[in-house]
Amino acid sequence: MTEDVDEAKLFRARLLVLLASVLWSLSGVFIKSPPFQSIPEADRGLILACYRAFFAGLFLLPFVKFRYVRWRPGLIPLLIAFASMNFLFVTAMTKTSAAATIFLQNTSVVWAMLFGLIFLKERIEAGSILAMFIVLVGIFCIVVGDWSGENFTGNLIALLSGISYALVVIFFRVLRDEHPAWLVALSLLVSAAIIAPWVLSLGIRLTWLQLSLIALLGVVQMGTPYVVFSHAVKTVKSQEAALLVLTEPILNPIWVWLFWGETVSLHTLVGCALIILGLLVRFLFFRPKPLPKPVNAGAV
């Protein structure tokens, strides 16, 4: 009976990981939706990044255990990296295809391994080296294939979002003794606060429909999946969770194509396929050593 209960619990946890992945994959559907197209493209990324982070941060505040709230100097580089990642990702989504944006951001796995080697002296296994090579070839296909196209700048911004995402991962490792909900909520709200002066200086007034959609973007696409995923990973092994989460970059461009008819060039498809292959190699052949359990790692 206990084994059946455990299997049922594991099955539910896997479904929760998949649910979180599906919700995360909706970023392109929201950001590329018609109501946002009336916002000038030069300012769209800044505005959406600001309000998305603000609403997601507000949503997560009730999940913060305030007895764990404390300030550490290590929070400063995390907050800078997180704000950069948030702005670069949303901006890239407005300037290139959803497929290129999400897959180039997911190259963070490669950069995180490199930064882990440089800053944390973490060993890189043979499977990870192979994965890095495959992912780099995929990056080459996407970026060079659009060298003179209209998506080139967006592709570079997406690549930078992947590098900043990797820095976020590294700083989360450094701060692993801190309560995760506190780190994420603080990062989101500070991200919004950093961008807010520029957004307010633009003098662009959003409609109620636009504000409602951005609120949904923050709560449904960013805040809710974090809560769902944080509960699921208490049961699902990190290796399996990492593989299940790969459904996010696969679904993201599919949703955008189904809802808004955005197509993807052949070289971008090839590059995305190579990046997925590299990530699969990384998670199937690379077995990272478990990190020490955080002192304050309670329920979120």
Side-chain angles (χ1 to χ4, degrees), residues 190-220:
V190 170
S191 296
I194 290 174
I195 304 173
W198 283 270
V199 172
L200 295 175
S201 70
L202 295 173
I204 296 176
R205 297 188 63 177
L206 300 179
T207 66
W208 282 109
L209 174 59
Q210 290 170 334
L211 279 173
S212 299
L213 282 175
I214 298 176
L216 284 175
L217 174 63
V219 173
V220 175

PDB file of all heavy atoms in Angstrom, residues 190-220:
ATOM      1  N   VAL A 190      12.704  43.850  -7.225  1.00  0.00           N
ATOM      2  CA  VAL A 190      13.831  44.747  -7.480  1.00  0.00           C
ATOM      3  C   VAL A 190      14.017  44.939  -8.980  1.00  0.00           C
ATOM      4  O   VAL A 190      14.342  46.045  -9.439  1.00  0.00           O
ATOM      5  CB  VAL A 190      15.119  44.198  -6.823  1.00  0.00           C
ATOM      6  CG1 VAL A 190      16.344  44.988  -7.288  1.00  0.00           C
ATOM      7  CG2 VAL A 190      15.009  44.276  -5.307  1.00  0.00           C
ATOM      8  N   SER A 191      13.796  43.887  -9.768  1.00  0.00           N
ATOM      9  CA  SER A 191      13.874  44.009 -11.230  1.00  0.00           C
ATOM     10  C   SER A 191      12.902  45.066 -11.722  1.00  0.00           C
ATOM     11  O   SER A 191      13.246  45.913 -12.564  1.00  0.00           O
ATOM     12  CB  SER A 191      13.550  42.672 -11.898  1.00  0.00           C
ATOM     13  OG  SER A 191      14.499  41.693 -11.560  1.00  0.00           O
ATOM     14  N   ALA A 192      11.681  45.015 -11.205  1.00  0.00           N
ATOM     15  CA  ALA A 192      10.672  46.003 -11.599  1.00  0.00           C
ATOM     16  C   ALA A 192      11.080  47.403 -11.156  1.00  0.00           C
ATOM     17  O   ALA A 192      10.917  48.377 -11.906  1.00  0.00           O
ATOM     18  CB  ALA A 192       9.320  45.629 -10.993  1.00  0.00           C
ATOM     19  N   ALA A 193      11.615  47.505  -9.941  1.00  0.00           N
ATOM     20  CA  ALA A 193      12.003  48.816  -9.405  1.00  0.00           C
ATOM     21  C   ALA A 193      13.150  49.434 -10.197  1.00  0.00           C
ATOM     22  O   ALA A 193      13.188  50.651 -10.397  1.00  0.00           O
ATOM     23  CB  ALA A 193      12.399  48.670  -7.933  1.00  0.00           C
ATOM     24  N   ILE A 194      14.081  48.610 -10.653  1.00  0.00           N
ATOM     25  CA  ILE A 194      15.220  49.122 -11.427  1.00  0.00           C
ATOM     26  C   ILE A 194      14.763  49.719 -12.750  1.00  0.00           C
ATOM     27  O   ILE A 194      15.247  50.767 -13.193  1.00  0.00           O
ATOM     28  CB  ILE A 194      16.254  47.992 -11.666  1.00  0.00           C
ATOM     29  CG1 ILE A 194      16.953  47.627 -10.343  1.00  0.00           C
ATOM     30  CG2 ILE A 194      17.293  48.412 -12.711  1.00  0.00           C
ATOM     31  CD1 ILE A 194      17.878  46.430 -10.456  1.00  0.00           C
ATOM     32  N   ILE A 195      13.802  49.042 -13.392  1.00  0.00           N
ATOM     33  CA  ILE A 195      13.341  49.477 -14.707  1.00  0.00           C
ATOM     34  C   ILE A 195      12.295  50.580 -14.615  1.00  0.00           C
ATOM     35  O   ILE A 195      12.135  51.382 -15.542  1.00  0.00           O
ATOM     36  CB  ILE A 195      12.769  48.270 -15.490  1.00  0.00           C
ATOM     37  CG1 ILE A 195      13.803  47.150 -15.596  1.00  0.00           C
ATOM     38  CG2 ILE A 195      12.347  48.675 -16.893  1.00  0.00           C
ATOM     39  CD1 ILE A 195      13.265  45.866 -16.198  1.00  0.00           C
ATOM     40  N   ALA A 196      11.586  50.630 -13.491  1.00  0.00           N
ATOM     41  CA  ALA A 196      10.435  51.540 -13.358  1.00  0.00           C
ATOM     42  C   ALA A 196      10.731  53.000 -13.722  1.00  0.00           C
ATOM     43  O   ALA A 196       9.909  53.630 -14.417  1.00  0.00           O
ATOM     44  CB  ALA A 196       9.867  51.451 -11.939  1.00  0.00           C
ATOM     45  N   PRO A 197      11.854  53.605 -13.293  1.00  0.00           N
ATOM     46  CA  PRO A 197      12.096  55.011 -13.661  1.00  0.00           C
ATOM     47  C   PRO A 197      12.116  55.246 -15.162  1.00  0.00           C
ATOM     48  O   PRO A 197      11.593  56.259 -15.649  1.00  0.00           O
ATOM     49  CB  PRO A 197      13.468  55.299 -13.025  1.00  0.00           C
ATOM     50  CG  PRO A 197      13.565  54.334 -11.894  1.00  0.00           C
ATOM     51  CD  PRO A 197      12.882  53.093 -12.375  1.00  0.00           C
ATOM     52  N   TRP A 198      12.700  54.328 -15.916  1.00  0.00           N
ATOM     53  CA  TRP A 198      12.745  54.469 -17.378  1.00  0.00           C
ATOM     54  C   TRP A 198      11.348  54.299 -17.966  1.00  0.00           C
ATOM     55  O   TRP A 198      10.962  55.015 -18.887  1.00  0.00           O
ATOM     56  CB  TRP A 198      13.701  53.457 -17.984  1.00  0.00           C
ATOM     57  CG  TRP A 198      15.129  53.842 -17.810  1.00  0.00           C
ATOM     58  CD1 TRP A 198      15.888  54.597 -18.653  1.00  0.00           C
ATOM     59  CD2 TRP A 198      15.972  53.504 -16.703  1.00  0.00           C
ATOM     60  NE1 TRP A 198      17.155  54.750 -18.149  1.00  0.00           N
ATOM     61  CE2 TRP A 198      17.246  54.087 -16.948  1.00  0.00           C
ATOM     62  CE3 TRP A 198      15.800  52.767 -15.537  1.00  0.00           C
ATOM     63  CZ2 TRP A 198      18.315  53.953 -16.073  1.00  0.00           C
ATOM     64  CZ3 TRP A 198      16.871  52.632 -14.657  1.00  0.00           C
ATOM     65  CH2 TRP A 198      18.102  53.235 -14.930  1.00  0.00           C
ATOM     66  N   VAL A 199      10.602  53.334 -17.432  1.00  0.00           N
ATOM     67  CA  VAL A 199       9.246  53.102 -17.934  1.00  0.00           C
ATOM     68  C   VAL A 199       8.370  54.327 -17.695  1.00  0.00           C
ATOM     69  O   VAL A 199       7.638  54.772 -18.589  1.00  0.00           O
ATOM     70  CB  VAL A 199       8.635  51.858 -17.251  1.00  0.00           C
ATOM     71  CG1 VAL A 199       7.151  51.727 -17.609  1.00  0.00           C
ATOM     72  CG2 VAL A 199       9.376  50.595 -17.674  1.00  0.00           C
ATOM     73  N   LEU A 200       8.445  54.890 -16.494  1.00  0.00           N
ATOM     74  CA  LEU A 200       7.623  56.053 -16.174  1.00  0.00           C
ATOM     75  C   LEU A 200       8.020  57.272 -17.007  1.00  0.00           C
ATOM     76  O   LEU A 200       7.169  58.097 -17.360  1.00  0.00           O
ATOM     77  CB  LEU A 200       7.738  56.383 -14.682  1.00  0.00           C
ATOM     78  CG  LEU A 200       7.171  55.309 -13.731  1.00  0.00           C
ATOM     79  CD1 LEU A 200       7.446  55.682 -12.285  1.00  0.00           C
ATOM     80  CD2 LEU A 200       5.675  55.127 -13.957  1.00  0.00           C
ATOM     81  N   SER A 201       9.313  57.363 -17.325  1.00  0.00           N
ATOM     82  CA  SER A 201       9.781  58.515 -18.115  1.00  0.00           C
ATOM     83  C   SER A 201       9.301  58.467 -19.559  1.00  0.00           C
ATOM     84  O   SER A 201       9.323  59.479 -20.263  1.00  0.00           O
ATOM     85  CB  SER A 201      11.314  58.590 -18.089  1.00  0.00           C
ATOM     86  OG  SER A 201      11.887  57.516 -18.831  1.00  0.00           O
ATOM     87  N   LEU A 202       8.853  57.284 -20.011  1.00  0.00           N
ATOM     88  CA  LEU A 202       8.391  57.156 -21.393  1.00  0.00           C
ATOM     89  C   LEU A 202       7.051  57.857 -21.605  1.00  0.00           C
ATOM     90  O   LEU A 202       6.724  58.243 -22.727  1.00  0.00           O
ATOM     91  CB  LEU A 202       8.251  55.675 -21.763  1.00  0.00           C
ATOM     92  CG  LEU A 202       9.547  54.848 -21.794  1.00  0.00           C
ATOM     93  CD1 LEU A 202       9.223  53.377 -22.003  1.00  0.00           C
ATOM     94  CD2 LEU A 202      10.485  55.359 -22.875  1.00  0.00           C
ATOM     95  N   GLY A 203       6.288  57.966 -20.543  1.00  0.00           N
ATOM     96  CA  GLY A 203       4.996  58.635 -20.656  1.00  0.00           C
ATOM     97  C   GLY A 203       3.961  57.854 -21.442  1.00  0.00           C
ATOM     98  O   GLY A 203       2.991  58.426 -21.947  1.00  0.00           O
ATOM     99  N   ILE A 204       4.151  56.533 -21.556  1.00  0.00           N
ATOM    100  CA  ILE A 204       3.206  55.697 -22.308  1.00  0.00           C
ATOM    101  C   ILE A 204       2.149  55.147 -21.345  1.00  0.00           C
ATOM    102  O   ILE A 204       2.487  54.483 -20.365  1.00  0.00           O
ATOM    103  CB  ILE A 204       3.943  54.534 -23.005  1.00  0.00           C
ATOM    104  CG1 ILE A 204       4.920  55.086 -24.048  1.00  0.00           C
ATOM    105  CG2 ILE A 204       2.938  53.581 -23.660  1.00  0.00           C
ATOM    106  CD1 ILE A 204       5.764  54.023 -24.713  1.00  0.00           C
ATOM    107  N   ARG A 205       0.893  55.449 -21.614  1.00  0.00           N
ATOM    108  CA  ARG A 205      -0.199  54.961 -20.775  1.00  0.00           C
ATOM    109  C   ARG A 205      -0.765  53.673 -21.373  1.00  0.00           C
ATOM    110  O   ARG A 205      -1.137  53.625 -22.547  1.00  0.00           O
ATOM    111  CB  ARG A 205      -1.290  56.026 -20.662  1.00  0.00           C
ATOM    112  CG  ARG A 205      -0.830  57.315 -19.994  1.00  0.00           C
ATOM    113  CD  ARG A 205      -1.997  58.246 -19.735  1.00  0.00           C
ATOM    114  NE  ARG A 205      -2.944  57.659 -18.803  1.00  0.00           N
ATOM    115  CZ  ARG A 205      -4.046  58.300 -18.365  1.00  0.00           C
ATOM    116  NH1 ARG A 205      -4.307  59.527 -18.807  1.00  0.00           N
ATOM    117  NH2 ARG A 205      -4.863  57.718 -17.528  1.00  0.00           N
ATOM    118  N   LEU A 206      -0.834  52.652 -20.561  1.00  0.00           N
ATOM    119  CA  LEU A 206      -1.358  51.373 -21.015  1.00  0.00           C
ATOM    120  C   LEU A 206      -2.869  51.328 -20.830  1.00  0.00           C
ATOM    121  O   LEU A 206      -3.421  51.938 -19.908  1.00  0.00           O
ATOM    122  CB  LEU A 206      -0.714  50.225 -20.226  1.00  0.00           C
ATOM    123  CG  LEU A 206       0.807  50.101 -20.319  1.00  0.00           C
ATOM    124  CD1 LEU A 206       1.293  48.923 -19.466  1.00  0.00           C
ATOM    125  CD2 LEU A 206       1.262  49.920 -21.759  1.00  0.00           C
ATOM    126  N   THR A 207      -3.533  50.593 -21.704  1.00  0.00           N
ATOM    127  CA  THR A 207      -4.975  50.400 -21.574  1.00  0.00           C
ATOM    128  C   THR A 207      -5.241  49.378 -20.474  1.00  0.00           C
ATOM    129  O   THR A 207      -4.344  48.640 -20.048  1.00  0.00           O
ATOM    130  CB  THR A 207      -5.571  49.887 -22.893  1.00  0.00           C
ATOM    131  OG1 THR A 207      -5.048  48.562 -23.165  1.00  0.00           O
ATOM    132  CG2 THR A 207      -5.216  50.823 -24.039  1.00  0.00           C
ATOM    133  N   TRP A 208      -6.500  49.325 -20.027  1.00  0.00           N
ATOM    134  CA  TRP A 208      -6.853  48.338 -19.009  1.00  0.00           C
ATOM    135  C   TRP A 208      -6.663  46.913 -19.528  1.00  0.00           C
ATOM    136  O   TRP A 208      -6.286  46.016 -18.777  1.00  0.00           O
ATOM    137  CB  TRP A 208      -8.294  48.556 -18.547  1.00  0.00           C
ATOM    138  CG  TRP A 208      -8.433  49.699 -17.590  1.00  0.00           C
ATOM    139  CD1 TRP A 208      -9.017  50.910 -17.834  1.00  0.00           C
ATOM    140  CD2 TRP A 208      -7.957  49.745 -16.239  1.00  0.00           C
ATOM    141  NE1 TRP A 208      -8.930  51.715 -16.730  1.00  0.00           N
ATOM    142  CE2 TRP A 208      -8.288  51.028 -15.730  1.00  0.00           C
ATOM    143  CE3 TRP A 208      -7.298  48.845 -15.421  1.00  0.00           C
ATOM    144  CZ2 TRP A 208      -7.984  51.422 -14.431  1.00  0.00           C
ATOM    145  CZ3 TRP A 208      -6.978  49.232 -14.115  1.00  0.00           C
ATOM    146  CH2 TRP A 208      -7.327  50.497 -13.633  1.00  0.00           C
ATOM    147  N   LEU A 209      -6.911  46.704 -20.807  1.00  0.00           N
ATOM    148  CA  LEU A 209      -6.700  45.374 -21.385  1.00  0.00           C
ATOM    149  C   LEU A 209      -5.225  45.004 -21.339  1.00  0.00           C
ATOM    150  O   LEU A 209      -4.863  43.877 -20.966  1.00  0.00           O
ATOM    151  CB  LEU A 209      -7.198  45.347 -22.834  1.00  0.00           C
ATOM    152  CG  LEU A 209      -6.916  44.056 -23.624  1.00  0.00           C
ATOM    153  CD1 LEU A 209      -7.564  42.853 -22.936  1.00  0.00           C
ATOM    154  CD2 LEU A 209      -7.408  44.192 -25.064  1.00  0.00           C
ATOM    155  N   GLN A 210      -4.348  45.947 -21.703  1.00  0.00           N
ATOM    156  CA  GLN A 210      -2.909  45.685 -21.680  1.00  0.00           C
ATOM    157  C   GLN A 210      -2.416  45.405 -20.250  1.00  0.00           C
ATOM    158  O   GLN A 210      -1.641  44.478 -20.021  1.00  0.00           O
ATOM    159  CB  GLN A 210      -2.159  46.858 -22.285  1.00  0.00           C
ATOM    160  CG  GLN A 210      -2.361  47.006 -23.793  1.00  0.00           C
ATOM    161  CD  GLN A 210      -1.811  48.302 -24.336  1.00  0.00           C
ATOM    162  OE1 GLN A 210      -1.697  49.303 -23.622  1.00  0.00           O
ATOM    163  NE2 GLN A 210      -1.455  48.305 -25.620  1.00  0.00           N
ATOM    164  N   LEU A 211      -2.885  46.209 -19.290  1.00  0.00           N
ATOM    165  CA  LEU A 211      -2.486  46.000 -17.899  1.00  0.00           C
ATOM    166  C   LEU A 211      -2.981  44.646 -17.386  1.00  0.00           C
ATOM    167  O   LEU A 211      -2.260  43.949 -16.664  1.00  0.00           O
ATOM    168  CB  LEU A 211      -3.033  47.125 -17.020  1.00  0.00           C
ATOM    169  CG  LEU A 211      -2.246  48.433 -17.004  1.00  0.00           C
ATOM    170  CD1 LEU A 211      -2.998  49.497 -16.222  1.00  0.00           C
ATOM    171  CD2 LEU A 211      -0.851  48.219 -16.407  1.00  0.00           C
ATOM    172  N   SER A 212      -4.198  44.276 -17.768  1.00  0.00           N
ATOM    173  CA  SER A 212      -4.752  42.983 -17.332  1.00  0.00           C
ATOM    174  C   SER A 212      -3.947  41.823 -17.906  1.00  0.00           C
ATOM    175  O   SER A 212      -3.657  40.842 -17.201  1.00  0.00           O
ATOM    176  CB  SER A 212      -6.218  42.870 -17.753  1.00  0.00           C
ATOM    177  OG  SER A 212      -6.992  43.888 -17.171  1.00  0.00           O
ATOM    178  N   LEU A 213      -3.569  41.942 -19.173  1.00  0.00           N
ATOM    179  CA  LEU A 213      -2.778  40.883 -19.800  1.00  0.00           C
ATOM    180  C   LEU A 213      -1.392  40.780 -19.164  1.00  0.00           C
ATOM    181  O   LEU A 213      -0.870  39.671 -18.965  1.00  0.00           O
ATOM    182  CB  LEU A 213      -2.646  41.148 -21.299  1.00  0.00           C
ATOM    183  CG  LEU A 213      -3.869  40.804 -22.161  1.00  0.00           C
ATOM    184  CD1 LEU A 213      -3.645  41.234 -23.599  1.00  0.00           C
ATOM    185  CD2 LEU A 213      -4.165  39.309 -22.087  1.00  0.00           C
ATOM    186  N   ILE A 214      -0.783  41.923 -18.835  1.00  0.00           N
ATOM    187  CA  ILE A 214       0.529  41.889 -18.192  1.00  0.00           C
ATOM    188  C   ILE A 214       0.420  41.272 -16.799  1.00  0.00           C
ATOM    189  O   ILE A 214       1.299  40.518 -16.367  1.00  0.00           O
ATOM    190  CB  ILE A 214       1.149  43.299 -18.106  1.00  0.00           C
ATOM    191  CG1 ILE A 214       1.382  43.872 -19.493  1.00  0.00           C
ATOM    192  CG2 ILE A 214       2.483  43.241 -17.358  1.00  0.00           C
ATOM    193  CD1 ILE A 214       1.899  45.296 -19.504  1.00  0.00           C
ATOM    194  N   ALA A 215      -0.674  41.592 -16.086  1.00  0.00           N
ATOM    195  CA  ALA A 215      -0.885  40.990 -14.766  1.00  0.00           C
ATOM    196  C   ALA A 215      -0.999  39.473 -14.889  1.00  0.00           C
ATOM    197  O   ALA A 215      -0.417  38.715 -14.098  1.00  0.00           O
ATOM    198  CB  ALA A 215      -2.127  41.575 -14.111  1.00  0.00           C
ATOM    199  N   LEU A 216      -1.755  39.010 -15.896  1.00  0.00           N
ATOM    200  CA  LEU A 216      -1.865  37.569 -16.138  1.00  0.00           C
ATOM    201  C   LEU A 216      -0.511  36.976 -16.506  1.00  0.00           C
ATOM    202  O   LEU A 216      -0.165  35.866 -16.076  1.00  0.00           O
ATOM    203  CB  LEU A 216      -2.872  37.300 -17.250  1.00  0.00           C
ATOM    204  CG  LEU A 216      -4.347  37.422 -16.888  1.00  0.00           C
ATOM    205  CD1 LEU A 216      -5.220  37.256 -18.131  1.00  0.00           C
ATOM    206  CD2 LEU A 216      -4.723  36.379 -15.842  1.00  0.00           C
ATOM    207  N   LEU A 217       0.249  37.701 -17.313  1.00  0.00           N
ATOM    208  CA  LEU A 217       1.587  37.250 -17.689  1.00  0.00           C
ATOM    209  C   LEU A 217       2.451  37.033 -16.449  1.00  0.00           C
ATOM    210  O   LEU A 217       3.129  36.013 -16.323  1.00  0.00           O
ATOM    211  CB  LEU A 217       2.239  38.281 -18.611  1.00  0.00           C
ATOM    212  CG  LEU A 217       3.707  38.062 -19.008  1.00  0.00           C
ATOM    213  CD1 LEU A 217       3.864  36.779 -19.804  1.00  0.00           C
ATOM    214  CD2 LEU A 217       4.213  39.265 -19.814  1.00  0.00           C
ATOM    215  N   GLY A 218       2.409  37.995 -15.518  1.00  0.00           N
ATOM    216  CA  GLY A 218       3.213  37.878 -14.313  1.00  0.00           C
ATOM    217  C   GLY A 218       2.739  36.771 -13.388  1.00  0.00           C
ATOM    218  O   GLY A 218       3.542  35.992 -12.868  1.00  0.00           O
ATOM    219  N   VAL A 219       1.420  36.682 -13.193  1.00  0.00           N
ATOM    220  CA  VAL A 219       0.872  35.724 -12.227  1.00  0.00           C
ATOM    221  C   VAL A 219       0.816  34.310 -12.798  1.00  0.00           C
ATOM    222  O   VAL A 219       1.270  33.348 -12.168  1.00  0.00           O
ATOM    223  CB  VAL A 219      -0.530  36.165 -11.776  1.00  0.00           C
ATOM    224  CG1 VAL A 219      -1.184  35.093 -10.903  1.00  0.00           C
ATOM    225  CG2 VAL A 219      -0.447  37.482 -11.006  1.00  0.00           C
ATOM    226  N   VAL A 220       0.248  34.178 -14.010  1.00  0.00           N
ATOM    227  CA  VAL A 220       0.022  32.844 -14.591  1.00  0.00           C
ATOM    228  C   VAL A 220       1.293  32.260 -15.185  1.00  0.00           C
ATOM    229  O   VAL A 220       1.589  31.073 -14.988  1.00  0.00           O
ATOM    230  CB  VAL A 220      -1.086  32.912 -15.672  1.00  0.00           C
ATOM    231  CG1 VAL A 220      -1.242  31.564 -16.374  1.00  0.00           C
ATOM    232  CG2 VAL A 220      -2.400  33.348 -15.042  1.00  0.00           C
TER     233      VAL A 220
END
